[in-house]
Amino acid sequence: MSLSIDTLAPPPALSRGRELSEDGLRIVPIGAALGAEVTGLDATRPLSAGQVLALKRALLERHVLVFKRQQLDDAQFHRLASYFGSVFRPPANVPVLGSDPYGGNTPDIVHVSNLEGGVLGHDELAAHADHHWTPVPSSGSLLYGIEVPSEGGDTTWFNLAAAWDALDAGTQREIAELKLITYNPFLRKLKPLATGSPLYRTPDIEPLTPFEVHPLVRTHPDSGRRILHLGEKTEVEIVGVDPQYGVALIARLRKHLLQPRFAYTHRWSAGDIVYWDNQATLHARSAFDSGERRLLKRISLSGSRPF
């Protein structure tokens, strides 16, 4: 099969594990299943065409880019993100991080912080992709570290394309055409269950609405790679299968995709910006001391309907 993405094909030097240089940029793959570190970028200034294309190629190959030593105001951060797409804006009736409880009024820049006006506090966060449950999930997110704790608050990304590739052929055939509903965790907060948040919706649980049906195994819209479209602890349901089978299958797939061999953990420094592909990764956060300050700013980018 021929894919018309020649201009976005990963450059040979990067795909072989060596560094890539372009218009002053130095992009070096991290020694993990995903990730590359970018130096030589001054995001206070406009990027050149060569720099933008090099970063897009690197993201397609490595899924996570770490920009070091940045110092941006909100306008400059927004401009950097806009080289890679428009800001993600969910439907008005679909709540997401930072929106009103029932949806709407989602800010372009969300403060991920344990400080006043921030969201997500200081607790551990399970591995997830931003906006999996929306009709058109986000393509990527950029997270900018302003203040970081002395320890904890690390972010781990998991390579969902590598997780698919590592499945045995029988499991790949078993799940390739299955459809998945990922229920909105913000709606579950509004309709809590006495038993807590379920990992799988069984017939005794009323479904949260609105919901979307997406492939369990999606195709990356740019690379064509197959990807497990599944988070660690979000409430899900496989369409049209016996619930007992669905529960067991999802537990098996989650155990598989969370293996350390698919992961990269980032220890934050102030001035780091991490740009990741929401279509090919999950990300999780370790807990940190509530007495320490943590402020990061996130911009998510619009995407396309999974197929």
Side-chain angles (χ1 to χ4, degrees):
M1 181 178 67
S2 175
L3 296 177
S4 58
I5 56 169
D6 294 342
T7 58
L8 294 182
L14 187 62
S15 63
R16 288 197 298 266
R18 297 199 294 268
E19 72 178 67
L20 169 69
S21 297
E22 180 69 43
D23 282 8
L25 295 184
R26 183 170 177 260
I27 306 174
V28 181
I30 291 165
L34 69 172
E37 184 174 297
V38 180
T39 55
L41 177 72
D42 180 1
T44 64
R45 303 173 62 84
L47 274 58
S48 71
Q51 289 176 328
V52 173
L53 289 174
L55 293 172
K56 288 186 174 184
R57 292 177 186 127
L59 186 77
L60 197 62
E61 171 76 7
R62 298 298 297 169
H63 308 310
V64 176
L65 301 181
V66 180
F67 303 86
K68 304 296 291 185
R69 294 179 287 279
Q70 302 299 314
Q71 191 171 0
L72 308 181
D73 60 29
D74 284 355
Q76 291 165 337
F77 184 35
H78 197 285
R79 182 180 63 191
L80 173 65
S82 70
Y83 283 109
F84 309 111
S86 57
V87 173
F88 171 82
R89 294 192 173 93
N93 64 338
V94 178
V96 296
L97 186 69
S99 72
D100 289 346
Y102 290 91
N105 294 320
T106 307
D108 286 0
I109 299 178
V110 176
H111 286 201
V112 180
S113 177
N114 63 331
L115 307 179
E116 184 177 357
V119 295
L120 296 181
H122 66 277
D123 293 327
E124 179 182 359
L125 299 176
H128 63 284
D130 296 333
H131 317 121
H132 253 187
W133 55 90
T134 63
V136 182
S138 148
S139 65
S141 294
L142 294 91
L143 191 59
Y144 176 25
I146 309 297
E147 297 183 66
V148 299
S150 59
E151 63 180 311
D154 301 339
T155 304
T156 298
W157 281 268
F158 295 88
N159 186 334
L160 297 181
W164 162 262
D165 291 343
L167 286 170
D168 63 89
T171 300
Q172 288 183 343
R173 289 192 297 270
E174 177 186 4
I175 69 175
E177 303 303 323
L178 294 178
K179 302 297 182 182
L180 186 75
I181 299 170
T182 300
Y183 290 101
N184 190 326
F186 296 95
L187 289 178
R188 177 55 68 204
K189 289 180 180 179
L190 298 173
K191 298 179 179 180
L193 301 174
T195 53
S197 297
L199 299 179
Y200 194 95
R201 190 195 82 84
T202 49
D204 57 304
I205 301 173
E206 182 180 354
L208 296 165
T209 57
F211 62 78
E212 290 291 323
V213 177
H214 292 312
L216 171 59
V217 182
R218 73 174 293 180
T219 300
H220 195 284
D222 299 314
S223 70
R225 296 187 68 180
R226 306 301 300 278
I227 290 161
L228 279 174
H229 191 58
L230 175 67
E232 179 182 5
K233 290 186 176 180
T234 41
E235 180 180 347
V236 299
E237 175 186 359
I238 300 177
V239 177
V241 306
D242 177 81
Q244 286 188 321
Y245 167 77
V247 168
L249 176 60
I250 290 298
R252 175 158 57 99
L253 293 175
R254 283 172 164 158
K255 182 178 180 181
H256 170 76
L257 63 85
L258 294 172
Q259 294 179 76
R261 60 176 168 148
F262 304 133
Y264 159 65
T265 297
H266 182 67
R267 174 73 190 120
W268 288 90
S269 297
D272 287 353
I273 297 176
V274 181
Y275 172 31
W276 69 91
D277 187 345
N278 269 320
Q279 302 161 133
T281 66
L282 300 179
H283 58 283
R285 184 186 75 188
S286 64
F288 61 96
D289 188 335
S290 62
E292 293 211 53
R293 296 170 61 91
R294 187 177 191 266
L295 170 61
L296 297 93
K297 296 181 178 182
R298 192 199 72 182
I299 296 176
S300 287
L301 302 175
S302 61
S304 56
R305 183 173 291 277
F307 56 89

